[in-house]
Amino acid sequence: VTPVIVAIDGPSGTGKSSTSKAVAARLGLGYLDTGAQYRAMTWWMLANGVDVADAAAVAAACAKPSIVSGTDPLAPTITVDGTDVAGPIRGREVTSAVSAVSAVPEVRARITELQRSLASETAAAAGGIVVEGRDIGTTVLPAADVKIFLTASPEARAARRSAELSGADAAGLAATREALLKRDAADSGRTASPLAKAADATEVDTTELTLEQVIECVVTLVEAAR
Ligand code: C5P
């Protein structure tokens, strides 16, 4: 059988990660979280004192870190120069800086290349891959067999995100909603490969759906395409 490539895009808080991991696990496919790669790049910039507001400085430095993603949906991993950064990349500092870093064309070119080679290697080895992000269906893997665009109301997205945050990163619902909408506006408004629904993507509004319903919907679409 030919490997199946599944692209899942959408703004934050729509259930992209939970859905993508579960679909990959259920169908025995590989999994790639492309947001984690942009977060890892951002973590490295902050750790090395690069001013993330200075696009030229970010562009000049972005070839340096070695970012490696593990593609097992049951235990996804991410390292930068051999250091496990799975925890710190979810922190507030990285989350508020990532849109500036991901808007830099040189960063996107480098990470897109990583994504394409990892997707083809993993798809060949595992029989397919689920890749989640913002521009997978439009730019990274435009020939994907299945393209899904997840949406949800701002209220639902803020509520889900705030339920995920804890400890030092917990903030009020209103603050979470504001930060999330700001990041989505930046991701959608940038020039380089913005967050967008591909013309041939199936849009799934998850506002009124349970996670299980979204997973079943995507699994059905993938099975139909196989
Ligand atoms: O999905 P997640 O919220 O972890 O993504 C973090 C950030 O990475 C996004 O806000 C966006 O700036 C960037 N990103 C991107 N393109 C992708 C995936 C993520 O620009 N394909």
Side-chain angles (χ1 to χ4, degrees):
V1 280
T2 39
V4 64
I5 309 272
V6 183
I8 303 191
D9 291 300
S12 20
T14 52
K16 268 197 321 289
S17 292
S18 312
T19 303
S20 302
K21 274 187 273 195
V23 168
R26 215 165 281 188
L27 297 173
L29 308 177
Y31 162 72
L32 176 61
D33 176 359
T34 65
Q37 297 175 304
Y38 287 101
R39 287 172 178 273
M41 178 66 82
T42 303
W43 175 86
W44 184 89
M45 294 287 167
L46 296 174
N48 286 275
V50 178
D51 176 6
V52 297
D54 181 347
V58 169
C62 73
K64 293 181 186 168
S66 163
I67 298 170
V68 177
S69 309
T71 54
D72 176 353
L74 297 174
T77 57
I78 180 112
T79 62
V80 179
D81 297 329
T83 301
D84 176 2
V85 294
I89 63 167
R90 304 293 160 193
R92 200 190 293 191
E93 285 188 341
V94 168
T95 300
S96 53
V98 67
S99 290
V101 172
S102 74
V104 176
E106 288 81 357
V107 168
R108 301 206 70 81
R110 174 148 194 253
I111 292 186
T112 297
E113 197 181 296
L114 280 179
Q115 290 161 354
R116 288 185 180 143
S117 55
L118 198 56
S120 60
E121 278 165 31
T122 309
I129 186 166
V130 179
V131 184
E132 65 149 300
R134 301 289 189 291
D135 63 337
I136 310 308
T138 53
T139 303
V140 179
L141 302 167
D145 304 290
V146 181
K147 296 184 186 180
I148 314 281
F149 195 79
L150 296 182
T151 62
S153 72
E155 288 67 32
R157 298 194 287 119
R160 288 172 192 166
R161 187 43 50 92
S162 117
E164 272 170 23
L165 300 174
S166 61
D169 293 312
L173 192 60
T176 300
R177 185 180 189 276
E178 202 173 309
L180 183 135
L181 294 180
K182 194 176 154 204
R183 186 151 63 94
D184 289 341
D187 292 341
S188 305
R190 72 183 175 222
T191 319
S193 196
L195 161 65
K197 176 184 174 292
D200 54 351
T202 302
E203 183 166 334
V204 179
D205 183 342
T206 69
T207 308
E208 304 290 337
L209 301 178
T210 64
L211 176 60
E212 187 51 39
Q213 288 174 318
V214 181
I215 295 166
E216 269 165 27
C217 168
V218 177
V219 165
T220 304
L221 289 167
V222 177
E223 279 173 340
R226 264 178 140 178

